[in-house]
Amino acid sequence: MNQICYEKVMAAAGKHQVLIFVHSRKETAKTARAIKDIALSNNKLTCFPKVESASLEILADHANHVKSNDLKDLLPYGFGIHHAGLTRVDRELIEGLFADKHLQVLVSTATLAWGVNLPAHTVIIKGTQVYNPEKGAWTELSPLDVMQMLGRAGRPQYDTHGEGIILTEHSELQYYLSLMNQQLPIESQFISRLADHLNAEIVLGTIQNVREACTWLGYTYLYIRMLRNPTLYGLPADIMETDNTLDERRVDLVHTAANLLDRNNLIKYDRKTGYFQVTDLGRIASYYYASHRTISTYNECLKPTMGDIELCRLFSLSEEFKYVSVRQDEKMELAKLFNCVPIPVKESLDEPSAKINVLLQAYISRLELEGLSLSSDMVYIRQNAGRLLRALFEIVLKRGWAQLAEKALNLCKMIDKHIWNVQIPLHQFPSIPKEILMKLEKKELAWERYFDLSSQEIGELIRNPKMGMQLHKCIHQLPKLNLSAHVQPITPTVLGFELTITADFQWDDELHGYVEPFWLIVEDNGGDNILHHECFMLKKQYVDEDHTLNFTVPIYEPLPPQYFIRVVSDKWLGSQTILPVSFRHLTLPEKYAPPTELIDLQPLPVTALRNARYESLYCAFKHFNPIQTQVFTASYNSDDSVLVAAPTGSGKTICAEFAILRNHQKAVSGDSNMRVVYVAPIEALAKERYKDWESKFGELARVVELTGETAADLKLLDKGEIIISTAEKWDALSRRWKQRKNVQQVSLFIFDELHLIGSENGHILEIIISRMRHMANHIGSNIRIVALSASLANGKDLGEWIGTSSHSLFNFPPAVRPLPLEIHIQGWDVAIFEARMQAMSKPTYTAITQHAKHGKPALVFVPTHKHARLTAVDLCAHSSAESGGTPFLGSEDEMDTFTSGVNDEALKYTLKCGVGYLHEGLSDFDQELVTQLFLGGRIQVCVASSKMCWGRSLPSHLVVVMGTQYYDGRGNSHTDYPVTDLLQMMGHANRPLQDDSGKCVILCYAPRKEYYKKFLFEAFPVESHLQHFLHDHMNAEVVAGLIENKQDAVDYLTWTFMYRRLAKNPNYYNLQDVSHRHVSEHLSELVETVLNDLESTNCLAIEENIYLKTLNLGLIASYYYVTYTTIERFSSMLTQKTKLKGLLEILASASEYADLPSRPGEQKSIERLVHHQRFSVEKKVRYDDPHVKANALLQCHFSRRTVEGDLAADRREILLPAHRLLQALIDVISSNGWLTLALNAMELSQMVTQGMWDRDSVLLQLPHFTEELARRCQENEGKAIETIFDLAEMSTHEMQDLLQLPSSQLQDIVGFLRRFPNIDMAFQVLEGDGGSVTVQVTLEREMADLLQSEAGPVHAPRFPKPKEEGWWLVIGDRSTDQLLAIKRVKLQKRARVKLEFAAPAEAGRKDYMVYLMSDSYLGCDQEYEFAVDVKDAGGD
């Protein structure tokens, strides 16, 4: 063939350039040399570059600079070679020389045909057979390759024609002639891999049933070719007459492929309904691009006892290698390799699997190969090995075989790193010379020992001090983690683990990139079974922080001695940490009491209330449900405390209403007073209950909702008969119950959602119940407690704690629902959160179409605001793609009317498709509209963010929980929803009057599936978290005078739920024994720790090591309901020289803001906000720090900058506690006697209320005022209008001329001016006694409306809730910047206040200032100077 090739080249020599295509890299140089040698022997070499041409010089010059030896040899003669094995520089040089016509002959592989546009006059294809390692044989060049190569013949612009020459075997001549002369159709090869492609689409979620699969096939080229040429694809020629869209054929293809996948366990195929369900094996096959046969082979052949030999053999049986064969010419070399590889191969050399096994090991061992075909095979095996072995590892992981999983993962890493795991792990660092590694391996030192050696010692070890530093650096760059675990028994069969992971290595971007993946595996005592596994990602930006992972693991009887936690790197060999967790001192919780059985009673008619007024409240139904019937006697006919624990949506609230009606009955008859307090742990629940009971009981009793402002709440408590409160508000109000008779007069307490006592803020619920019981015991009154809860495993403990008897404790199991609930749980094994959420989109749509037929409502819960919007848009897209219309919409015509007032554009679009969404970032109008449209059946689907499950009644036929994790900024990771939230979401699938049953579909992360299965079908236990939050409660009780010494503190704890649970589940509370002495010691130790912490922060003093005395900071913390850490921070950060910037930073540093959520990707927004504010922050600050966020959003509030969505909700959360924090801050400042700082802090309070800076025009407080209007007022010709009082003096006509506003807006401004505080202040210095001075201040408000007796709430549209006006009276000495007296004043019409301060020690006249400062309005503060004449004590 070389001779023929030479002749064809010579025909063009000297006239045209020739491009020769060969089919391997080695062949390029061989062919070029052969032609050069024949030309040399025939003395024709001069035909290529002419002797006199400049090309000779250029080629000779370049030959000295190229890196390839072959090119150095060939270039001077005008020959070049080109293939992907050359360096880029050499390839580019050759391409340039050929384009410039210096090279006459270029021999290349096909890469030049596809990758580089380099035409030549003559193209020769030398041979048409190529080796195909996939088939393990020589095959003909594909027609596409031939066409592409011949396409390089002929140079446009230079040639009129090109010349293409194919050198092939005689047998193939006809084939290539027809290829050149006829246009052959390209046929589809899709059927051969249909099963694998179908599986991939099922895993992706785009196909869920046969119908969708047939539609999908309609988009393929296969379908088009079947329509054009049916007989070629096995169809009768007349098929188009009977089935012109080939529906039957498509169903047949899909059915066959689905059966094949089902047989191999890649999917579950329900032949009746045609629905597919993905399995773990299917997911692995799709993810790792493995064929179904390969996965099936692995699944069948895997055994837990396999070793490395069997594992390598199993890999060699993969279907991907079915065409690899052992050729005669390879046997010699294979026999040599056979003896060199470390893992024995059982099969004979004639077996293809032996060849694959040997080549895999040869690759890891970095052995050199001689034969071309063997090298090609090795490359092919290497390319497939990475993903196939990963698939193998994941199958083993899913099976839960610990030892085999370790072997499989090691094999994966050996392939990736090109080394054996028995070699020293430093082989993974290419910068270390081989001889050094050899020296280290000869030392036989355990790898763990290297971490303890210094660089000097390592240098001495290898007798090469210079290398010591580099080796030491590499050793400490290998990922190493430190682990510590805390175990808490949750139930007798489930343990909760809290694993803390700390990185102990040096991060290098080149080696580690941006993320290091690790596998966390929990193994049983024998190391045989995997009890839990998950993938953990260590990110570069969080490498210096501790990472906490929470997970649950089953525990079995008899109790094993220990479990092992293994954290192993996914990429690095030799990087693993094992932590044994001993159970020697583990005490599992006691078995729980059985739940209450639902008795089959005759449903109780509403007339059982025996009161026409009461019966009219329940006219919507005639009978109470079974749970209400069973509870009725205990709740309505007795005064016992009651616990009703039943699933959400069981009608528990009506059980509490029975108790209210009984209380009302007794109040009417005069047996007791009517004062009912309802406490909800979540504000949204309290608001919902207030709305409901205001309309229901409004005529029977006065229903009020507490505001959180102490003075206003005391008034509401005084006049209200049914008081609605959150736990925090009632805690703040009831702390001083000894002084507040209204608190002592409460006759009925209702606690809703009591199971939340086990949640993060449950400690407040626990404390107020303990306080109420303690108070009732102390004053000898009989307060009735009614508690409502979800089903509980330890309901008996909770019931006994609140004082129920066995007849009034109802703890129903989770399955007992008035309306049965069908629950489906699907796991998604996608580790990346956002990818998982996207994958759940189509299954959510399918769940709605499958379970909510005939327009029944469906409610979808998603983690965040963003997902609510995106999911709603996705559902619209799926519905229009599938049905072409808007199947979720009740009536299209009316929707335009409803959506006209919607602010959110995306919501407007989705509502027109019949899908609404709800989240906290929407305006109140939008939220209410979506709720009413959903409840009214105008839209079928509502997507809600997870927090909306509380406090909004959205009964639905179907609930889909799309994802059960949310981003927790504190741990920089995704955390599971609490089970309580999930139960609340499920409770929305409850329409007792319309449905016979409800449905719930939960789509969750696969590793959590078992956990949810357990706790959603069984009742879960609640434990107390009080021990972590005791400081503030203890401080409050010391301030209230209830705890006077350490023994009182211990006694106080015996009233809590924690005390009840200590003996039942001791290990959960870090208690080793349950004897009386141990419990007593544990409580004393807890009290000691808490009190010492409070003493160290100056909140209280411990006298004689027993008695407790409250200090000023403790008093302030308790009074303003501020945490002790905040007060301590305020006290330590404040100095007399602090300016406004510092005050803002101190306010933002409050612990109350530590729990502000941090969301992925939010840091950039915060950074932008910070850079555009008046006060910048330190340069090295972290933008995911909640305190930095609080600072930025406060400044945004003052600058009146608009923030949207999540940040707007966050800003609201920041502003709500700001006033009590500022009042506490002002008290701390005034305790230090700093005058200017106190006045600045008071101005900051005004800024918070009005949302403006102290330097802005005070006119901006007026409604509809803009900066432009304020400027116009200041530039007014007659008289500059600078204050609100200046404007108030103008007549309406003058105002209209100046402002030029519509009359409605002008009316708003006049209304504001009438309400703006105009206060006359008079004062006189009274005669003091005992060295003090008394100043009497009289304040009188000018009321525009004479009948008005109260000032009413402050006009503050930028503050998130109504606020009452407040004032400070301050006396200070300006010369010394000393604050002498301060008093907080609530001013309605008039007030008289006395302030007392110590007289100066020196005789003579002394000047002082008296200030009246508002906490809400800017520009109405007053200050006056007065003098005190101090006479000498010795004089008269």
Side-chain angles (χ1 to χ4, degrees):
M1 204 173 267
N2 283 342
Q3 184 62 40
I4 301 167
C5 193
Y6 165 73
E7 288 167 11
K8 297 296 177 192
V9 168
M10 284 311 295
K15 291 180 255 177
H16 305 294
Q17 286 177 297
V18 182
L19 190 53
I20 303 171
F21 283 110
V22 293
H23 309 303
S24 76
R25 294 177 187 180
K26 282 186 181 176
E27 191 62 36
T28 54
K30 274 187 186 173
T31 303
R33 277 208 183 88
I35 294 170
K36 184 198 83 171
D37 291 346
I38 298 170
L40 185 64
S41 62
N42 294 341
N43 205 14
K44 298 280 187 186
L45 259 183
T46 51
C47 298
F48 295 103
K50 297 277 189 291
V51 179
E52 64 278 3
S53 74
S55 296
L56 266 179
E57 289 292 321
I58 293 167
L59 291 172
D61 183 45
H62 282 304
N64 297 325
H65 298 111
V66 290
K67 296 196 174 153
S68 162
N69 290 329
D70 291 328
L71 276 174
K72 276 185 178 156
D73 184 23
L74 293 166
L75 268 183
Y77 301 103
F79 290 87
I81 60 170
H82 188 289
H83 57 74
L86 295 177
T87 62
R88 175 173 290 193
V89 179
D90 286 1
R91 285 204 308 273
E92 286 175 353
L93 174 70
I94 294 299
E95 288 161 21
L97 290 171
F98 192 72
D100 295 340
K101 296 193 178 178
H102 297 305
L103 279 180
Q104 292 297 303
V105 181
L106 180 57
V107 188
S108 169
T109 53
T111 50
L112 203 65
W114 288 103
V116 186
N117 184 14
L118 211 60
H121 178 81
T122 305
V123 168
I124 301 172
I125 301 175
K126 181 190 166 194
T128 54
Q129 283 205 327
V130 286
Y131 179 71
N132 185 341
E134 191 177 333
K135 294 187 175 175
W138 293 89
T139 55
E140 285 298 316
L141 265 180
S142 79
L144 292 174
D145 277 333
V146 174
M147 304 287 266
Q148 186 70 20
M149 290 176 194
L150 291 180
R152 292 279 169 253
R155 297 176 306 155
Q157 301 171 341
Y158 303 111
D159 291 341
T160 52
H161 69 285
E163 189 179 357
I165 301 166
I166 302 176
L167 308 181
T168 183
E169 291 179 12
H170 198 271
S171 57
E172 301 298 329
L173 191 62
Q174 195 56 45
Y175 169 68
Y176 286 109
L177 277 172
S178 62
L179 184 68
M180 292 296 102
N181 298 325
Q182 298 169 17
Q183 283 191 321
L184 297 178
I186 297 172
E187 296 298 345
S188 168
Q189 305 296 313
F190 195 63
I191 290 178
S192 63
R193 298 300 295 268
L194 177 61
D196 291 328
H197 292 303
L198 178 64
N199 175 55
E201 296 299 326
I202 293 170
V203 170
L204 198 59
T206 50
I207 292 176
Q208 304 229 312
N209 52 42
V210 171
R211 183 173 52 80
E212 288 177 358
C214 292
T215 309
W216 165 73
L217 267 183
Y219 289 103
T220 59
Y221 182 58
L222 166 69
Y223 176 63
I224 302 299
R225 288 306 300 156
M226 285 198 299
L227 290 173
R228 299 279 184 280
N229 193 356
T231 50
L232 187 68
Y233 294 91
L235 292 165
D238 58 351
I239 186 75
M240 299 305 289
E241 293 165 20
T242 54
D243 183 9
N244 64 349
T245 54
L246 301 181
D247 283 346
E248 276 184 34
R249 176 62 170 162
R250 282 190 281 167
V251 169
D252 190 30
L253 284 172
V254 169
H255 179 71
T256 309
N259 270 329
L260 185 61
L261 292 171
D262 188 24
R263 236 186 355 264
N264 290 323
N265 297 315
L266 269 74
I267 62 168
K268 286 179 181 162
Y269 175 34
D270 185 341
R271 288 163 186 76
K272 279 185 189 169
T273 62
Y275 271 88
F276 307 133
Q277 194 182 333
V278 69
T279 65
D280 285 334
L281 286 179
R283 218 174 258 120
I284 292 167
S286 168
Y287 187 75
Y288 292 107
Y289 209 74
S291 72
H292 62 277
R293 288 194 189 86
T294 296
I295 293 294
S296 173
T297 305
Y298 291 171
N299 195 38
E300 285 168 22
C301 300
L302 277 170
K303 301 280 183 296
T305 53
M306 287 172 92
D308 289 333
I309 298 173
E310 291 89 347
L311 210 53
C312 289
R313 181 177 174 276
L314 179 56
F315 165 76
S316 67
L317 297 175
S318 307
E319 197 217 8
E320 277 73 1
F321 307 129
K322 66 181 176 184
Y323 295 117
V324 174
S325 59
V326 182
R327 286 175 293 280
Q328 199 61 39
D329 58 333
E330 296 170 345
K331 287 191 178 176
M332 278 279 281
E333 193 173 354
L334 276 175
K336 280 188 211 164
L337 293 172
F338 213 71
N339 300 321
C340 297
V341 295
I343 298 174
V345 180
K346 287 184 175 177
E347 294 83 11
S348 73
L349 264 181
D350 297 325
E351 293 280 328
S353 63
K355 173 181 172 179
I356 294 157
N357 195 336
V358 167
L359 287 177
L360 179 74
Q361 295 189 54
Y363 171 70
I364 299 172
S365 304
R366 305 190 185 202
L367 299 177
E368 293 290 328
L369 299 185
E370 293 166 14
L372 164 70
S373 57
L374 263 187
S375 300
S376 300
D377 283 339
M378 187 204 264
V379 169
Y380 178 69
I381 290 163
R382 184 197 75 204
Q383 286 168 341
N384 288 283
R387 60 187 173 82
L388 292 176
L389 285 168
R390 285 275 166 190
L392 199 55
F393 162 64
E394 292 223 6
I395 294 171
V396 176
L397 202 60
K398 293 280 181 289
R399 293 275 192 95
W401 297 334
Q403 290 174 3
L404 189 57
E406 186 187 356
K407 290 188 178 94
L409 182 58
N410 274 339
L411 198 49
C412 296
K413 293 192 283 191
M414 288 189 264
I415 292 288
D416 294 343
K417 293 290 182 182
H418 226 29
I419 66 164
W420 291 100
N421 63 332
V422 291
Q423 292 175 277
I424 192 164
L426 289 173
H427 278 277
Q428 295 166 100
F429 296 91
S431 59
I432 302 174
K434 277 188 181 172
E435 56 274 13
I436 299 291
L437 293 168
M438 301 284 280
K439 276 185 187 177
L440 285 169
E441 281 181 335
K442 284 176 186 166
K443 298 293 176 191
E444 294 184 0
L445 192 68
W447 172 241
E448 289 72 27
R449 292 281 311 280
Y450 283 99
F451 289 100
D452 305 328
L453 299 178
S454 67
S455 54
Q456 202 175 346
E457 288 168 332
I458 295 169
E460 286 170 11
L461 187 71
I462 55 167
R463 304 217 175 126
N464 187 340
K466 284 183 184 175
M467 282 301 294
M469 282 285 286
Q470 189 186 342
L471 287 173
H472 184 267
K473 184 182 168 189
C474 291
I475 288 165
H476 290 278
Q477 281 176 337
L478 191 87
K480 180 172 180 263
L481 303 178
N482 295 330
L483 309 178
S484 67
H486 178 58
V487 183
Q488 286 184 314
I490 296 173
T491 73
T493 56
V494 176
L495 292 179
F497 277 76
E498 186 183 87
L499 182 70
T500 305
I501 300 176
T502 313
D504 184 15
F505 65 97
Q506 292 161 12
W507 194 282
D508 182 298
D509 287 357
E510 282 186 20
L511 290 169
H512 305 110
Y514 292 103
V515 67
E516 273 293 344
F518 291 87
W519 286 99
L520 165 78
I521 295 170
V522 183
E523 300 170 4
D524 63 5
N525 184 43
D528 299 326
N529 298 311
I530 295 173
L531 304 170
H532 173 83
H533 72 268
E534 64 180 87
C535 190
F536 161 65
M537 299 286 189
L538 179 66
K539 293 180 181 169
K540 177 191 167 184
Q541 62 263 48
Y542 306 124
V543 73
D544 297 325
E545 295 176 15
D546 286 355
H547 297 76
T548 306
L549 296 182
N550 292 296
F551 51 90
T552 55
V553 173
I555 186 98
Y556 304 104
E557 293 284 344
L559 196 65
Q562 62 194 6
Y563 279 171
F564 293 97
I565 298 176
R566 182 195 300 273
V567 179
V568 53
S569 170
D570 186 60
K571 287 177 9 188
W572 295 83
L573 284 161
S575 166
Q576 77 166 358
T577 312
I578 299 173
L579 178 72
V581 181
S582 171
F583 298 148
R584 189 184 302 164
H585 300 296
L586 185 73
T587 311
L588 292 175
E590 291 180 3
K591 294 270 193 293
Y592 303 118
T596 308
E597 216 173 300
L598 187 67
I599 304 164
D600 190 11
L601 298 170
Q602 186 75 28
L604 204 63
V606 175
T607 50
L609 292 166
R610 303 185 302 280
N611 183 319
R613 279 181 80 188
Y614 297 171
E615 287 164 33
S616 66
L617 302 175
Y618 303 104
C619 55
F621 47 86
K622 291 185 177 150
H623 293 88
F624 293 116
N625 74 27
I627 287 174
Q628 291 157 357
T629 299
Q630 193 163 331
V631 173
F632 183 81
T633 307
S635 190
Y636 189 70
N637 294 333
S638 82
D639 290 324
D640 293 346
S641 290
V642 180
L643 170 69
V644 183
T648 310
S650 304
K652 299 190 292 286
T653 308
I654 289 178
C655 299
E657 288 172 6
F658 293 156
I660 293 175
L661 295 175
R662 176 171 181 85
N663 197 273
H664 181 261
Q665 216 173 27
K666 287 172 73 181
V668 170
S669 62
D671 292 348
S672 95
N673 62 321
M674 176 78 182
R675 183 157 287 146
V676 178
V677 173
Y678 166 91
V679 173
I682 292 167
E683 179 137 21
L685 275 177
K687 288 200 181 310
E688 183 192 16
R689 190 59 51 241
Y690 174 68
K691 262 165 59 180
D692 179 21
W693 282 358
E694 171 63 44
S695 61
K696 187 179 269 189
F697 297 129
E699 291 178 15
L700 295 178
R702 281 192 299 280
V703 184
V704 296
E705 185 187 6
L706 298 186
T707 64
E709 288 203 10
T710 311
D713 285 350
L714 286 170
K715 285 181 194 167
L716 290 170
L717 186 61
D718 190 37
K719 69 176 185 185
E721 291 173 317
I722 297 177
I723 295 108
I724 313 282
S725 172
T726 61
E728 288 87 346
K729 289 171 188 172
W730 188 254
D731 183 18
L733 207 60
S734 64
R735 282 180 171 184
R736 300 172 69 192
W737 61 264
K738 278 190 171 179
Q739 290 85 15
R740 291 172 179 162
K741 288 284 177 271
N742 291 339
V743 176
Q744 295 179 21
Q745 286 166 3
V746 173
S747 50
L748 169 64
F749 253 102
I750 299 169
F751 288 96
D752 203 353
E753 309 294 349
L754 189 58
H755 55 276
L756 289 178
I757 203 165
S759 71
E760 215 166 273
N761 289 330
H763 58 98
I764 303 172
L765 213 49
E766 181 172 351
I767 276 297
I768 54 179
I769 295 176
S770 306
R771 185 180 294 145
M772 290 302 109
R773 291 181 58 243
H774 186 224
M775 180 183 86
N777 182 60
H778 191 271
I779 60 177
S781 76
N782 187 19
I783 297 180
R784 185 183 191 193
I785 295 177
V786 173
L788 310 175
S789 161
S791 303
L792 298 167
N794 55 347
K796 187 167 182 279
D797 290 342
L798 210 55
E800 287 173 355
W801 171 58
I802 63 168
T804 62
S805 64
S806 56
H807 305 297
S808 58
L809 194 160
F810 302 93
N811 182 22
F812 297 104
V816 170
R817 295 173 184 268
L819 201 69
L821 183 66
E822 193 181 299
I823 304 172
H824 305 267
I825 303 178
Q826 293 177 30
W828 291 84
D829 206 355
V830 182
I832 297 162
F833 175 74
E834 288 300 341
R836 187 162 67 243
M837 290 304 296
Q838 284 173 7
M840 288 174 179
S841 163
K842 184 71 191 291
T844 300
Y845 172 75
T846 308
I848 294 168
T849 51
Q850 211 176 339
H851 298 297
K853 292 174 180 163
H854 314 302
K856 286 186 176 175
L859 182 60
V860 181
F861 283 108
V862 292
T864 65
H865 301 187
K866 180 184 83 173
H867 292 114
R869 188 181 68 250
L870 293 177
T871 304
V873 172
D874 280 354
L875 291 175
C876 294
H878 289 313
S879 73
S880 60
E882 196 153 299
S883 53
T886 50
F888 296 143
L889 194 60
S891 156
E892 226 168 305
D893 308 333
E894 298 173 339
M895 197 47 74
D896 286 336
T897 323
F898 290 129
T899 55
S900 57
V902 172
N903 301 318
D904 190 305
E905 285 303 317
L907 180 60
K908 210 177 261 188
Y909 162 72
T910 63
L911 282 173
K912 288 178 181 173
C913 303
V915 180
Y917 59 84
L918 285 171
H919 57 70
E920 303 89 326
L922 289 177
S923 67
D924 291 345
F925 172 80
D926 287 1
Q927 288 190 37
E928 194 54 37
L929 175 74
V930 173
T931 306
Q932 292 311 321
L933 288 174
F934 183 66
L935 295 177
R938 308 268 183 191
I939 56 173
Q940 188 193 342
V941 182
C942 179
V943 185
S945 64
S946 56
K947 286 184 185 163
M948 299 301 280
C949 69
W950 299 100
R952 195 170 280 269
S953 178
L954 295 164
S956 177
H957 173 70
L958 166 72
V959 167
V960 181
V961 182
M962 184 175 153
T964 56
Q965 290 189 323
Y966 66 97
Y967 183 75
D968 179 9
R970 284 170 292 176
N972 303 310
S973 60
H974 288 90
T975 309
D976 294 309
Y977 290 161
V979 172
T980 48
D981 282 19
L982 263 182
L983 293 171
Q984 187 69 18
M985 291 171 191
M986 288 160 60
H988 286 278
N990 180 39
R991 301 191 307 160
L993 303 174
Q994 292 111 305
D995 294 332
D996 299 327
S997 70
K999 291 186 177 179
C1000 179
V1001 176
I1002 295 170
L1003 310 175
C1004 67
Y1005 183 33
R1008 308 302 288 151
K1009 189 174 171 182
E1010 292 306 313
Y1011 171 75
Y1012 287 127
K1013 263 189 190 171
K1014 180 165 182 65
F1015 286 118
L1016 295 180
F1017 296 110
E1018 293 177 27
F1020 67 97
V1022 290
E1023 298 291 354
S1024 168
H1025 294 278
L1026 183 63
Q1027 69 274 27
H1028 305 303
F1029 301 96
L1030 204 48
H1031 297 76
D1032 292 314
H1033 301 301
M1034 194 69 83
N1035 178 54
E1037 303 300 350
V1038 173
V1039 170
L1042 280 171
I1043 296 177
E1044 294 175 348
N1045 55 49
K1046 288 184 178 178
Q1047 188 53 48
D1048 286 353
V1050 174
D1051 294 345
Y1052 170 75
L1053 289 181
T1054 60
W1055 288 93
T1056 62
F1057 180 58
M1058 176 184 79
Y1059 180 71
R1060 298 250 166 190
R1061 290 297 299 160
L1062 273 177
K1064 301 286 175 70
N1065 189 0
N1067 281 172
Y1068 192 89
Y1069 301 94
N1070 294 331
L1071 187 65
Q1072 300 305 330
D1073 198 347
V1074 292
S1075 67
H1076 187 72
R1077 185 173 65 83
H1078 271 89
V1079 172
S1080 182
E1081 280 175 7
H1082 179 79
L1083 289 179
S1084 300
E1085 200 177 302
L1086 182 60
V1087 164
E1088 196 76 39
T1089 308
V1090 169
L1091 293 177
N1092 287 340
D1093 287 350
L1094 289 171
E1095 186 183 31
S1096 68
T1097 53
N1098 294 322
C1099 286
L1100 56 78
I1102 304 174
E1103 296 174 345
E1104 298 174 29
N1105 205 25
I1106 295 175
Y1107 301 106
L1108 309 176
K1109 178 188 167 192
T1110 190
L1111 297 177
N1112 187 44
L1113 291 183
L1115 209 62
I1116 297 170
S1118 173
Y1119 186 81
Y1120 292 112
Y1121 204 71
V1122 171
T1123 64
Y1124 82 105
T1125 48
T1126 297
I1127 280 295
E1128 193 268 334
R1129 195 168 290 152
F1130 285 179
S1131 175
S1132 61
M1133 289 173 77
L1134 282 165
T1135 68
Q1136 193 163 2
K1137 292 179 180 174
T1138 304
K1139 296 285 185 287
L1140 181 59
K1141 180 184 179 183
L1143 275 175
L1144 250 178
E1145 282 174 3
I1146 292 168
L1147 174 62
S1149 73
S1151 305
E1152 278 70 3
Y1153 296 142
D1155 290 339
L1156 276 177
S1158 170
R1159 302 172 189 88
E1162 204 173 57
Q1163 288 91 314
K1164 287 269 182 261
S1165 308
I1166 302 292
E1167 191 176 351
R1168 273 200 303 276
L1169 287 178
V1170 165
H1171 289 323
H1172 291 89
Q1173 296 307 338
R1174 177 176 167 185
F1175 298 129
S1176 59
V1177 294
E1178 294 169 28
K1179 283 189 178 172
K1180 289 186 179 176
V1181 71
R1182 282 184 49 175
Y1183 292 103
D1184 58 354
D1185 181 344
H1187 302 294
V1188 173
K1189 183 186 203 174
N1191 191 337
L1193 289 175
L1194 276 170
Q1195 292 196 57
C1196 272
H1197 175 60
F1198 302 148
S1199 306
R1200 300 194 170 184
R1201 274 193 69 172
T1202 309
V1203 288
E1204 292 175 347
D1206 290 321
L1207 287 178
D1210 289 340
R1211 182 163 68 181
R1212 183 178 184 278
E1213 292 305 311
I1214 290 163
L1215 291 173
L1216 286 172
H1219 276 294
R1220 57 185 171 86
L1221 290 171
L1222 277 167
Q1223 287 179 26
L1225 188 65
I1226 289 164
D1227 277 16
V1228 174
I1229 294 168
S1230 42
S1231 308
N1232 287 311
W1234 297 328
L1235 178 63
T1236 311
L1237 191 56
L1239 298 176
N1240 287 346
M1242 290 167 191
E1243 285 178 358
L1244 183 55
S1245 174
Q1246 299 166 4
M1247 288 157 53
V1248 166
T1249 311
Q1250 293 300 336
M1252 56 190 278
W1253 287 105
D1254 53 341
R1255 63 187 184 183
D1256 292 339
S1257 166
V1258 293
L1259 299 173
L1260 288 176
Q1261 296 171 96
L1262 289 151
H1264 315 298
F1265 251 70
T1266 59
E1267 287 187 9
E1268 199 273 322
L1269 266 181
R1271 200 176 302 115
R1272 195 188 303 167
C1273 287
Q1274 283 164 352
E1275 293 164 2
N1276 186 31
E1277 285 178 13
K1279 179 195 170 188
I1281 308 291
E1282 292 192 342
T1283 69
I1284 290 171
F1285 298 113
D1286 293 343
L1287 196 67
E1289 286 169 10
M1290 297 178 82
S1291 68
T1292 314
H1293 290 302
E1294 288 174 324
M1295 218 183 283
Q1296 176 63 56
D1297 292 344
L1298 174 65
L1299 302 178
Q1300 295 168 358
L1301 290 172
S1303 56
S1304 61
Q1305 294 189 2
L1306 205 64
Q1307 282 302 108
D1308 292 343
I1309 291 173
V1310 171
F1312 174 87
L1313 293 172
R1314 284 181 163 184
R1315 286 172 52 192
F1316 191 73
N1318 187 0
I1319 290 161
D1320 289 334
M1321 177 174 165
F1323 61 92
Q1324 65 180 115
V1325 181
L1326 304 177
E1327 285 294 321
D1329 58 298
S1332 69
V1333 179
T1334 304
V1335 178
Q1336 182 173 294
V1337 182
T1338 308
L1339 303 170
E1340 189 160 353
R1341 181 193 295 269
E1342 284 187 18
M1343 293 281 196
D1345 187 348
L1346 295 173
L1347 298 172
Q1348 192 181 347
S1349 63
E1350 290 198 354
V1354 172
H1355 173 81
R1358 293 175 186 279
F1359 194 71
K1361 68 170 187 177
K1363 181 182 180 321
E1364 294 293 321
E1365 220 178 77
W1367 299 85
W1368 284 282
L1369 272 170
V1370 179
I1371 292 177
D1373 181 350
R1374 209 184 251 169
S1375 61
T1376 59
D1377 192 30
Q1378 200 175 358
L1379 185 145
L1380 301 168
I1382 182 169
K1383 201 159 241 182
R1384 183 127 170 103
V1385 183
K1386 286 279 177 192
L1387 174 65
Q1388 295 303 339
K1389 209 163 188 179
R1390 65 174 60 83
R1392 184 170 286 167
V1393 186
K1394 283 184 178 176
L1395 289 103
E1396 200 173 294
F1397 62 96
E1402 297 161 16
R1405 182 185 166 88
K1406 190 83 173 153
D1407 291 331
Y1408 295 106
M1409 299 293 293
V1410 59
Y1411 300 88
L1412 175 66
M1413 302 289 291
S1414 169
D1415 71 348
S1416 305
Y1417 291 111
L1418 287 93
C1420 61
D1421 303 335
Q1422 300 181 38
E1423 58 179 72
Y1424 299 99
E1425 196 169 353
F1426 69 93
V1428 174
D1429 204 3
V1430 181
K1431 290 174 183 169
D1432 194 348
D1436 40 42

